[in-house]
């Protein structure tokens, strides 16, 4: 391969991301130790028990928990195991925080004043917040412990589509075809480069032979090391009975065309430690988790409609002022766990010090939005043969999710957009009807007219513009152990902090659970000391 070709090759590979990811996989034969890490963490965490107090002369304390999201609920649940008397103050009318499942009849009003009532039919729902759980996450341990049944969430599907309009694609391409072509050409180029001696400095002749064997298999190359298409692309006529061998999908794009399409740019997603299949979801909606937690805690200990207005560390206890239905109230407790979103907590007057305030303000909120589109038929299953999984686009809708529940049912809810950042912010100010129209217009480009004609109703949600949240998740530049956040990772007087934003797994329930466990352990040790 000439210098010029190699440079062109590298540029093209850089554009798709596919080969980089593939080589990373090849190089990373040490594989992951996340299972070991999870086991170590499990062993490291031990829930407080009533017996811990025997012969210590100490007793469980009272704790006021600010925020009834996953971190707050987990705190009250874990402390409750040892008899701590916890009260959770939740500003909204339901516990769960960003863990929010929308069903027919649910109503929201965003900060623009857009009021929506979901019209989803019975059994249909959308998870407006968290919607997928990796197998190593402690979220699944809580599902097991609380008896919340789970099912597979399809995060990757060979039959969903890729569509990059800005790259000039005139129609969608199936993941399976895109993978066959991208990996086919990348392996062809690498196999030829190796064959022509370009990798001689890096590889022994044995290495080269093994690499070639791997590449031929990985890219479905012939003995000439050429990619000429593959049954991996799928068939235009599927194989059937004797006499019907099928017709392999043709029209194989050239290497140049496939790299220009950019269809490989999303392949690395499924290699990520937090996004790799299999993934899971609770049966019936993600909010089965906060509901189970709330039931275990005792629903009467969770005060909804209670917005915190002031936090005072008194040295020997904590006083929290709040409003309930507009009426001022206050509660005192031995300890407090502030498990509210940091951007909301930053607006609450407190005497926890300027270090706390500076740290809270250094954490920046991020945007994300979703629209649920309920259809009268599951046309994506019948017409497109897509059962769950995600279509990736470069349109402002970004990700389109097919439901991983209710297969072959009469109706279903697609996530018509799951977008973040500027794309989410561009939909947020629109009326719900305008959001729907724009999302549907994008979907029609990929799926055709049924995307519009079969639509029954929609419901959209934008976290950055939602009261008491004002963020989908947060960014803690430098990570939670940066000295800037030290006033939050340790208690301020008798106030401890918890939330996914104080973990390395921000934007995951796992982070909220981990952070809650950490606050619980700190308080319990303090009480026992
Ligand atoms: N947990 C969220 C999700 O899976 C947000 C997120 C996306 C976090 C990608 C990390 C990586 O959609």
């Amino acid at each position: 391969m000439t210098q010029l070709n190699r440079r062109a090759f590298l540029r093209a590979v850089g554009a798709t991301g596919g080969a980089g990811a593939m080589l990373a996989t090849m190089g990373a034969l040490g594989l992951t130790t996340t299972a070991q890490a999870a086991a170590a963490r499990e062993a490291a965490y031990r829930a407080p028990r009533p017996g811990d107090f025997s012969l210590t002369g100490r007793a469980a304390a009272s704790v006021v928990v600010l925020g009834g999201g996953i971190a707050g609920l987990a705190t009250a649940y874990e402390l409750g195991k040892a008899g701590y008397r916890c009260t959770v103050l939740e500003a909204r009318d339901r516990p769960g925080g960003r863990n929010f499942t929308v069903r027919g009849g649910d109503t929201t009003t965003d900060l623009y004043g857009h009021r929506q009532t979901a019209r989803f039919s019975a059994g249909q729902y959308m998870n407006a917040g968290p919607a997928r759980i990796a197998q190593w996450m402690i979220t699944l341990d809580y599902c097991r412990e609380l008896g919340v049944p789970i099912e597979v969430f399809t995060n990757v599907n060979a039959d969903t589509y890729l569509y990059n309009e800005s790259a000039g694609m005139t129609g969608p391409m199936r993941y399976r075809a895109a993978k066959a072509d991208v990996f086919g050409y990348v392996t062809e180029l690498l196999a030829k480069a190796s064959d022509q001696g370009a990798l001689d400095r890096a590889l022994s002749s044995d290495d080269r032979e093994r690499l070639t064997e791997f590449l031929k298999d990985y890219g479905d190359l012939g003995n000439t090391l050429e990619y000429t298409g593959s049954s991996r692309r799928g068939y235009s006529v599927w194989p059937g009975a004797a006499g019907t061998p099928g017709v392999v999908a043709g029209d194989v794009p050239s290497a140049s065309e496939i790299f220009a399409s950019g269809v490989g740019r999303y392949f690395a997603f499924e290699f990520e430690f937090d996004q790799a299949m299999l993934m899971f979801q609770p049966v019936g909606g993600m909010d089965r988790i906060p509901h189970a937690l709330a039931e275990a805690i005792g629903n009467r200990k969770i005060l909804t409609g209670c917005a915190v207005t002031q936090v005072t560390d008194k040295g020997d206890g904590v006083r929290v002022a709040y409003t309930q239905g507009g009426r001022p109230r206050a509660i005192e407790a031995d300890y407090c766990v502030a498990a509210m979103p940091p951007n909301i907590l930053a607006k609450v007057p407190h005497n926890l010090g300027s270090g706390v305030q500076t740290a809270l303000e250094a954490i920046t909120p991020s945007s994300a939005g979703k629209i649920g589109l309920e259809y009268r038929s599951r046309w994506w299953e019948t017409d497109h043969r897509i059962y769950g999984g995600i279509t990736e686009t470069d349109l402002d809708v970004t990700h389109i999710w097919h439901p991983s529940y209710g297969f072959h049912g009469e109706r279903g809810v697609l996530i018509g957009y799951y977008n973040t950042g500027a794309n989410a912010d561009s939909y947020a100010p629109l009326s719900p009807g305008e959001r729907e129209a724009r999302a549907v217009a994008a979907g029609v480009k990929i799926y055709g007219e049924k995307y519009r004609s079969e639509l029954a109703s929609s419901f959209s949600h934008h976290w950055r513009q939602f009261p008491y949240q004002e963020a989908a998740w947060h960014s803690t530049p430098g990570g939670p152990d940066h000295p800037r956040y030290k006033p939050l990772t340790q208690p301020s007087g008798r106030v401890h902090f918890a939330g996914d934003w104080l973990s390395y797994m921000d934007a995951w329930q796992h982070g909220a659970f981990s952070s809650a466990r950490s606050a619980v352990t700190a308080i319990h040790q303090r009480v026992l000391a």
Side-chain angles (χ1 to χ4, degrees):
M1 189 183 259
T2 67
Q3 279 298 105
L4 191 75
N5 280 343
R6 278 174 65 192
R7 230 179 297 127
F9 161 67
L10 289 171
R11 227 182 299 122
V13 164
T16 67
M22 195 191 73
L23 286 171
T25 320
M26 285 167 62
L29 290 175
L31 295 178
T32 107
T33 56
T34 45
Q36 287 156 20
R41 197 176 42 242
E42 269 304 280
Y45 178 72
R46 186 176 145 309
R49 299 173 193 162
D52 296 344
F53 295 108
S54 332
L55 306 176
T56 62
R58 317 269 175 209
S62 60
V63 180
V64 57
V65 179
L66 315 184
I70 294 299
L73 293 175
T75 297
Y77 172 65
E78 290 294 329
L79 286 172
K81 289 176 178 175
Y84 285 81
R85 300 174 307 284
C86 296
T87 306
V88 180
L89 301 178
E90 168 52 47
R92 291 169 63 194
D93 59 0
R94 64 174 83 79
R98 284 166 284 163
N99 180 324
F100 178 32
T101 301
V102 181
R103 299 185 185 77
D106 286 340
T107 295
T108 59
T109 305
D110 67 18
L111 293 174
Y112 295 105
H114 298 132
R115 197 181 143 84
Q116 289 180 83
T117 299
R119 308 251 166 259
F120 297 149
S121 46
Q124 300 298 325
Y125 67 84
M126 70 181 277
N127 289 320
R132 49 189 165 197
I133 310 169
Q135 292 162 81
W136 58 268
M137 291 177 171
I138 57 177
T139 312
L140 285 190
D141 298 315
Y142 281 94
C143 289
R144 190 198 312 110
E145 186 171 318
L146 295 161
V148 172
I150 57 167
E151 64 194 359
V152 168
F153 172 87
T154 303
N155 211 25
V156 184
N157 181 347
D159 285 300
T160 52
Y161 293 122
L162 294 156
Y163 182 64
N164 294 328
E165 187 181 57
S166 66
M169 286 176 74
T170 51
M173 187 170 194
R174 299 266 188 187
Y175 250 96
R176 69 166 78 254
K179 282 183 170 172
D181 292 348
V182 171
F183 292 147
Y185 287 123
V186 169
T187 54
E188 173 184 323
L189 290 164
L190 196 49
K192 285 184 173 165
S194 174
D195 202 44
Q196 293 163 21
L199 304 180
D200 284 5
R201 279 210 281 166
L203 301 176
S204 72
S205 61
D206 276 355
D207 293 339
R208 273 200 315 271
E209 235 167 77
R210 291 177 191 130
L211 175 66
T212 303
E213 275 319 294
F214 168 78
L215 292 172
K216 280 167 72 176
D217 181 41
Y218 202 84
D220 204 12
L221 308 181
N223 284 330
T224 56
L225 305 183
E226 245 144 58
Y227 175 70
T228 55
S230 163
S231 60
R232 293 175 187 177
R233 308 188 82 243
Y235 287 75
S236 53
V237 179
W238 291 93
T244 319
V247 179
V248 173
D251 287 335
V252 185
S254 69
S256 172
E257 284 165 345
I258 201 72
F259 292 135
S261 74
V263 288
R265 95 192 146 86
Y266 222 76
F267 291 177
F269 178 71
E270 62 186 280
F271 298 154
E272 294 298 335
F273 76 102
D274 53 355
Q275 296 287 1
M277 283 296 280
L278 296 182
M279 294 193 79
F280 285 84
Q281 64 183 7
V283 176
M286 193 59 86
D287 68 353
R288 293 283 152 101
I289 295 174
H291 287 168
L293 283 167
E295 206 164 295
I297 294 162
N299 278 300
R300 72 203 151 73
K301 295 184 189 161
I302 300 163
L303 309 183
T304 52
C306 293
V308 174
T309 53
Q310 187 157 20
V311 181
T312 310
D313 176 58
K314 303 197 307 167
D316 59 349
V318 184
R319 181 177 195 275
V320 175
Y322 62 97
T323 56
Q324 187 171 33
R327 274 192 305 276
R329 298 192 186 281
I331 183 172
E332 303 219 349
D334 297 323
Y335 295 93
C336 172
V337 176
M340 293 163 58
N343 49 318
I344 304 297
L345 189 56
K347 295 193 239 181
V348 174
H350 62 75
N351 70 340
L352 306 176
S354 60
V356 164
Q357 190 60 22
T358 306
L360 288 172
E361 288 173 7
I363 301 174
T364 55
S366 304
S367 300
K370 279 184 188 170
I371 190 167
L373 304 171
E374 184 181 350
Y375 286 96
R376 281 182 279 273
S377 66
R378 293 175 79 95
W379 50 263
W380 53 91
E381 291 174 1
T382 51
D383 300 5
H384 299 258
R385 314 294 293 199
I386 295 173
Y387 290 75
I390 301 172
T391 283
E392 298 296 350
T393 79
D394 67 349
L395 307 175
D396 58 19
V397 296
T398 317
H399 315 289
I400 297 175
W401 289 19
H402 299 87
S404 288
Y405 69 94
F407 301 113
H408 286 173
E410 206 176 292
R411 295 177 161 237
V413 174
L414 282 191
I415 300 299
Y417 59 75
Y418 170 22
N419 50 17
T420 59
N423 284 328
D425 288 336
S426 75
Y427 275 84
L430 306 181
S431 71
E434 290 166 334
R435 294 174 188 164
E436 176 191 293
R438 191 157 139 189
V440 166
V444 166
K445 293 184 187 178
I446 300 169
Y447 295 91
E449 268 308 315
K450 282 197 181 172
Y451 207 93
R452 180 176 286 120
S453 61
E454 289 298 291
L455 185 65
S457 72
S458 74
F459 187 92
S460 48
H461 192 80
H462 289 265
W463 290 105
R464 184 83 176 90
Q465 292 77 17
F466 200 68
Y468 304 117
Q469 272 349 128
E470 297 181 32
W473 47 77
H474 304 86
S475 157
T476 48
D481 285 313
H482 187 283
R484 187 189 301 126
Y485 309 113
K486 196 145 191 202
L488 303 174
T489 52
Q490 61 190 21
S492 172
R494 285 176 169 248
V495 177
H496 294 240
F497 301 89
D500 63 322
W501 44 281
L502 278 177
S503 80
Y504 284 93
M505 291 304 293
D506 171 73
W508 291 100
Q509 295 176 92
H510 172 89
F513 280 119
S514 309
S515 176
R517 285 180 168 191
S518 167
V520 162
T521 302
I523 288 178
H524 192 45
Q525 277 167 359
R526 220 170 147 179
V527 169
L528 286 174

